[in-house]
Amino acid sequence: MITYSTYIFDLDGTLLDTLGDLAASVNYALRTHGMPEHSKDDVRRFVGNGVRKLMERAIPQGTDNPLFDETFATFRQYYMEHSLDTTKPYEGIPKTLTELKRRGCRLAVVSNKMMAATQELIRHFFPDTIEVAIGENEAAGIHKKPAPDTVFAALRQLGVGQKGTVYVGDSDVDIETARNSGLPCISVLWGFRDRDFLLNHGATMLISTPSELL
């Protein structure tokens, strides 16, 4: 593995296994508004493009459903209250981040998750290793991934450039984000997408365990 000085990480499916809490929140919102629920595997396929897109895929007829906005609001409120119920780092992630930090690497997270939820999760799980955490904030003119905006914002906050920086993620959106940001991409195999899916979407570097980043 090539040595890098800066690591930009995706969050869901890369650092944290958030699927259980996302699925529970989706189904709570659907159930509350009288809609059919989804399996965890369904929700796994729905994630990756932000929570609005997640709910567009989960709600029958998507945004054309007259109850879309109300159901989406229910999801957001419930998830903010329950985002730590079962979410946890993938095995080996805390140790790997600590070692990268010890070596002097700069570490940031960019996510299509809501900004408040992203920052809460980072404060809870990685307060001593992740320096910058940026979530969805299109109201501030920062477009979500696969646009490069969040990556560039993270680099600015870190005070570093693209040289020596790598992007680490688990999805096709992450591969495209890295490409749009002019960065190499390491695709992880413990997240929400499998090897064949990632290879079919242009993955060039794949790892099976976090320790391979070292």
Side-chain angles (χ1 to χ4, degrees), residues 12 18-33 35 43 46-48 50-56 58-59 67-83 112-114 117 136:
D12 295 44
T18 57
L19 186 60
D21 289 335
L22 285 168
S25 300
V26 167
N27 284 330
Y28 174 82
L30 295 173
R31 187 166 60 248
T32 297
H33 297 280
M35 300 176 190
V43 176
F46 295 161
V47 298
V51 291
R52 183 177 178 86
K53 182 60 71 174
L54 165 61
M55 292 307 289
E56 285 180 22
I59 293 172
L67 293 178
F68 177 85
D69 289 338
E70 187 177 351
T71 307
F72 182 40
T74 299
F75 164 84
R76 288 173 65 98
Q77 180 178 350
Y78 187 89
Y79 185 68
M80 286 303 301
E81 296 171 354
H82 295 272
S83 63
N112 279 344
K113 185 185 291 294
M114 297 172 288
E136 183 178 6

Side-chain angles (χ1 to χ4, degrees), residues 2-214:
I2 300 171
T3 300
Y4 299 97
S5 56
T6 301
Y7 291 77
I8 308 293
F9 292 95
D10 171 56
L11 185 58
D12 295 44
T14 300
L15 298 183
L16 294 178
D17 183 356
T18 57
L19 186 60
D21 289 335
L22 285 168
S25 300
V26 167
N27 284 330
Y28 174 82
L30 295 173
R31 187 166 60 248
T32 297
H33 297 280
M35 300 176 190
E37 299 181 33
H38 289 285
S39 69
K40 188 180 287 189
D41 280 341
D42 287 340
V43 176
R44 181 192 301 273
R45 291 192 294 271
F46 295 161
V47 298
N49 297 86
V51 291
R52 183 177 178 86
K53 182 60 71 174
L54 165 61
M55 292 307 289
E56 285 180 22
R57 292 165 175 162
I59 293 172
Q61 290 83 53
T63 55
D64 291 332
N65 190 309
L67 293 178
F68 177 85
D69 289 338
E70 187 177 351
T71 307
F72 182 40
T74 299
F75 164 84
R76 288 173 65 98
Q77 180 178 350
Y78 187 89
Y79 185 68
M80 286 303 301
E81 296 171 354
H82 295 272
S83 63
L84 295 173
D85 286 1
T86 63
T87 288
K88 60 183 179 180
Y90 287 101
E91 184 176 356
I93 285 293
K95 182 178 180 179
T96 296
L97 295 182
T98 297
E99 177 59 21
L100 288 173
K101 185 76 170 178
R102 188 193 69 78
R103 295 180 183 183
C105 298
R106 310 297 302 278
L107 310 178
V109 160
V110 296
S111 175
N112 279 344
K113 185 185 291 294
M114 297 172 288
M115 177 72 83
T118 298
Q119 295 185 338
E120 178 184 4
L121 289 167
I122 295 304
R123 283 193 298 267
H124 183 81
F125 289 109
F126 311 116
D128 300 321
T129 50
I130 300 296
E131 299 175 63
V132 171
I134 298 176
E136 183 178 6
N137 192 16
E138 296 204 5
I142 299 176
H143 299 293
K144 68 182 181 181
K145 302 184 293 184
D149 299 25
T150 51
V151 173
F152 292 157
L155 293 175
R156 287 194 299 271
Q157 289 188 36
L158 289 172
V160 301
Q162 291 158 278
K163 185 177 180 180
T165 298
V166 65
Y167 185 100
V168 184
D170 74 304
S171 74
D172 53 323
V173 173
D174 294 315
I175 294 168
E176 188 176 354
T177 300
R179 184 183 303 118
N180 292 340
S181 304
L183 299 178
C185 182
I186 297 173
S187 297
V188 308
L189 294 173
W190 57 80
F192 296 163
R193 303 289 186 263
D194 62 25
R195 177 185 296 271
D196 287 344
F197 180 94
L198 293 169
L199 289 173
N200 288 337
H201 286 82
T204 56
M205 291 188 287
L206 298 103
I207 59 174
S208 299
T209 65
S211 63
E212 293 177 68
L213 290 170
L214 301 175

